[in-house]
Amino acid sequence: MPELSQETERGRGAAPFGLAEVTGPSMVPTLYQGDQLLVRYGARVRAGDVVVLRHPFQQDLLVVKRAVELREGGWWVLGDNQSGSSDSNDYGTVPEELILGRALFRYRPRAAGQRSPLALVRWALSAARPVLSDRSVRSGRSASRRLRAR
């Protein structure tokens, strides 16, 4: 199942920025189906960043994951939705040359049923946000480690 539309590849040679549409559940609750991402191609990746990459086994398939740590052989990447993600647990480390860029900003389109004034205000306040790095990943404490400790 693709994680991003192929529009990410358009215009890549001309500009360092591009748009991508999320089409899978692997990054829920950070990203949802239909979210639009502003991607910076060639950006420096740090642990905790949300990145766009080519799938290691299907390089015509673009996916979005969280870069967890740089290991020998490349980046270990995970989806934020552990029950609905194909990630490095399935295909191992991702070579750095397959990491295309870092997601900077997310825009969540308005749902068709949002018509009440309150629903529109809620949407307006949350529709556009930066895609934040997970600082706990940078500090070496993954979410799974934190949950196991409780």
Side-chain angles (χ1 to χ4, degrees), residues 25-48:
S26 74
M27 289 299 291
V28 170
T30 306
L31 302 171
Y32 289 90
Q33 174 84 18
D35 283 358
Q36 302 288 318
L37 299 177
L38 175 64
V39 179
R40 171 126 193 227
Y41 295 109
R44 184 172 152 247
V45 175
R46 298 176 300 192

Side-chain angles (χ1 to χ4, degrees), residues 12-133:
R12 191 166 166 245
F17 296 96
L19 295 177
E21 180 178 350
V22 177
T23 61
S26 74
M27 289 299 291
V28 170
T30 306
L31 302 171
Y32 289 90
Q33 174 84 18
D35 283 358
Q36 302 288 318
L37 299 177
L38 175 64
V39 179
R40 171 126 193 227
Y41 295 109
R44 184 172 152 247
V45 175
R46 298 176 300 192
D49 289 345
V50 174
V51 296
V52 174
L53 58 121
R54 292 187 181 281
H55 191 285
F57 300 139
Q58 295 176 282
Q59 293 189 12
D60 60 333
L61 177 65
L62 302 179
V63 295
V64 59
K65 302 292 177 200
R66 189 171 303 277
V68 176
E69 65 184 4
L70 190 58
R71 297 181 176 185
E72 186 177 326
W75 280 97
W76 189 262
V77 296
L78 297 174
D80 287 358
N81 179 0
Q82 292 179 359
S83 64
S85 180
S86 173
D87 50 32
S88 286
N89 289 315
D90 300 312
Y91 45 73
T93 58
V94 176
E96 287 190 77
E97 60 268 12
L98 296 182
I99 306 290
L100 300 177
R102 188 174 80 222
L104 302 175
F105 203 75
R106 162 296 272 161
Y107 169 75
R108 186 164 292 152
R110 188 170 64 101
Q114 290 180 320
R115 294 196 175 132
S116 75
L118 181 58
L120 290 174
V121 168
R122 278 192 221 151
W123 169 80
L125 293 174
S126 68
R129 298 238 170 149
V131 177
L132 301 175
S133 295

